[in-house]
């Protein structure tokens, strides 16, 4: 809740006129508790998870030959019934794991210093903080994911996420409730390092959800703008991890490729890419 009764008080506090965005933020948040604003995250996660996979679902059901050439595992298909079943299971986990995690993590958010006050962050400030969030989450997720691939971790927790050897967008958060909580904590590492505004935190959660769905989409489109991001792994990189399955000791990182390269856990993937490239070159020569 903002400590101002009027926009005039906010102007006096800042020593300047409010920007248009700050006026909108004041009008929306001035009389709302911080806890209520934080809980918006739950709504955003639900809405974006429900909507973003829809284009991939349409492509999967249409199975056009023009689009299939971009499908990483074209021999695998998912029916509408299977997709709906996956969505229902994710929603069950969402209600009983994600929602409580979001609600009860609020003291952590307050402790690390996520603010709702004015002024709003600049675009440059938000971009810098988001870069930290992505890098920190990726590093933390890498090691937590490797831990889940130990025998006990896989047998008791991570096996559920690997039910899909050919992932699809809807299956991005398809996992054991314990995995959702453990990996979800990695999302707070970046904000703890570089705490920012609640709007930045909202945007971080939305972008991370979008990236996870893209990574699990099962399609590798050459025009994907995320390919412009340095070291971005994408669907092709993560799809290999699912394809190999239980025995996979490669491609653990959630977003980028640098951790797997540094720690030598991308050798299987690189070897497969080299073999595939040689086969394609031979086919061209014939």
């Amino acid at each position: 809740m903002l400590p101002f009764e009027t926009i005039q008080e906010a102007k006096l506090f800042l020593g300047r006129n409010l920007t248009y965005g700050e006026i909108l933020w004041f009008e929306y948040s001035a009389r709302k508790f911080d806890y209520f604003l934080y809980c918006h995250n739950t709504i955003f996660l639900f809405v974006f998870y429900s909507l973003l996979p829809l284009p991939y679902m349409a492509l999967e059901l249409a199975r056009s030959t023009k689009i299939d050439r971009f499908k990483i595992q074209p021999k695998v298909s998912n029916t509408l019934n299977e997709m709906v079943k996956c969505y229902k299971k994710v929603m069950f986990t969402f209600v009983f794991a994600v929602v409580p995690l979001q609600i009860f993590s609020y003291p952590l958010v307050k402790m690390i210093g996520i603010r709702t006050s004015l002024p709003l962050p600049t675009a440059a400030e938000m971009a810098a903080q988001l870069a930290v969030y992505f890098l920190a989450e990726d590093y933390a997720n890498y090691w937590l994911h490797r831990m889940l691939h130990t025998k006990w971790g896989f047998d008791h927790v991570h096996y559920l996420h690997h039910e899909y050897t050919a992932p699809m967008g809807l299956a991005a958060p398809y996992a054991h409730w314990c995995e959702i909580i453990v990996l979800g904590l990695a999302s707070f590492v970046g904000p703890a390092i570089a705490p920012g505004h609640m709007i930045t935190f909202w945007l971080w959660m939305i972008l991370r959800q979008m990236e996870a769905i893209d990574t699990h989409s099962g399609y590798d489109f050459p025009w994907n703008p995320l390919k412009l991001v340095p070291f971005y792994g994408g669907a092709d990189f993560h799809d290999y991890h699912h394809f190999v399955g239980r025995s996979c000791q490669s491609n653990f990182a959630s977003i980028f490729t640098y951790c797997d390269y540094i720690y030598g856990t991308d050798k299987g993937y690189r070897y497969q890419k080299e073999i595939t490239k040689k086969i394609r070159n031979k086919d061209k020569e014939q």
Side-chain angles (χ1 to χ4, degrees), residues 55-76:
Y56 295 113
M57 290 175 64
L59 293 177
E60 186 72 8
L61 295 173
R63 294 311 297 262
S64 164
T65 53
K66 291 183 179 179
I67 298 297
D68 263 13
R69 61 197 176 103
F70 302 115
K71 187 171 173 60
I72 301 167
Q73 298 187 50
K75 293 182 180 179
V76 180

Side-chain angles (χ1 to χ4, degrees), residues 12-265:
L12 290 173
F13 175 78
L14 295 176
R16 60 170 173 79
N17 290 328
L18 274 63
T19 64
Y20 179 68
E22 288 171 337
I23 291 172
L24 291 178
W25 179 251
F26 178 89
E27 291 176 348
Y28 182 74
S29 67
R31 291 172 179 79
K32 292 182 175 66
F33 290 106
D34 288 357
Y35 180 71
F36 177 79
L37 294 171
Y38 173 66
C39 286
H40 283 44
N41 244 346
T42 307
I43 299 170
F44 295 148
L45 290 174
F46 169 76
V47 171
F48 279 87
Y49 168 69
S50 298
L51 296 180
L52 291 175
L54 291 178
Y56 295 113
M57 290 175 64
L59 293 177
E60 186 72 8
L61 295 173
R63 294 311 297 262
S64 164
T65 53
K66 291 183 179 179
I67 298 297
D68 263 13
R69 61 197 176 103
F70 302 115
K71 187 171 173 60
I72 301 167
Q73 298 187 50
K75 293 182 180 179
V76 180
S77 61
N78 296 287
T79 65
L80 179 60
N81 184 55
E82 289 170 335
M83 295 179 192
V84 171
K85 185 179 179 181
C86 176
Y87 181 80
K88 287 181 177 179
K89 287 184 176 180
V90 170
M91 281 296 102
F92 180 85
T93 308
F94 182 86
V95 172
F96 291 100
V98 177
V99 172
L101 175 64
Q102 288 288 308
I103 292 173
F104 292 110
S105 60
Y106 178 69
L108 177 62
V109 168
K110 292 297 291 184
M111 183 181 71
I112 62 181
I114 301 298
R115 64 182 181 87
T116 60
S117 59
L118 293 174
L120 291 184
T122 63
E125 183 183 349
M126 291 176 71
Q129 289 172 335
L130 287 170
V132 172
Y133 297 176
F134 273 106
L135 290 169
E137 196 275 347
D138 185 71
Y139 190 80
N141 190 288
Y142 173 85
W143 289 107
L144 291 170
H145 193 179
R146 285 191 69 169
M147 178 187 72
L148 290 173
H149 270 266
T150 60
K151 187 179 187 308
W152 188 94
F154 196 96
D155 289 345
H156 292 85
V157 180
H158 197 47
Y159 71 92
L160 192 61
H161 187 63
H162 275 271
E163 282 185 9
Y164 288 92
T165 55
M168 59 179 175
L170 283 169
Y174 180 83
H176 193 283
W177 65 267
C178 184
E179 178 173 343
I180 294 291
I181 293 174
V182 169
L183 295 184
L185 291 174
S187 300
F188 291 92
V189 176
I193 296 171
H197 199 274
M198 185 66 74
I199 289 178
T200 308
F201 191 74
W202 287 349
L203 184 58
W204 156 235
M205 289 295 179
I206 292 169
L207 291 175
R208 181 65 182 90
Q209 178 88 314
M210 293 172 65
E211 185 280 328
I213 290 170
D214 175 72
T215 299
H216 288 82
S217 68
Y219 289 88
D220 184 30
F221 297 114
W223 55 79
N224 188 336
L226 291 175
K227 286 183 175 289
L228 299 174
V229 178
F231 305 109
Y232 180 67
D236 183 62
F237 189 77
H238 191 67
D239 201 279
Y240 175 82
H241 180 84
H242 277 265
F243 177 74
V244 176
R246 179 189 183 92
S247 61
C248 187
Q249 294 299 315
S250 185
N251 298 18
F252 292 110
S254 59
I255 305 167
F256 304 109
T257 60
Y258 71 92
C259 276
D260 285 288
Y261 181 79
I262 291 171
Y263 298 111
T265 49

Side-chain angles (χ1 to χ4, degrees), residues 255-284:
I255 305 167
F256 304 109
T257 60
Y258 71 92
C259 276
D260 285 288
Y261 181 79
I262 291 171
Y263 298 111
T265 49
D266 66 345
K267 292 179 181 177
Y269 171 73
R270 283 191 285 151
Y271 177 76
Q272 186 223 36
K273 298 297 286 185
E274 288 175 9
I275 295 298
T276 303
K277 185 177 180 180
K278 288 178 182 178
I279 293 172
R280 287 176 178 171
N281 289 337
K282 280 185 179 181
D283 291 340
K284 289 179 180 179

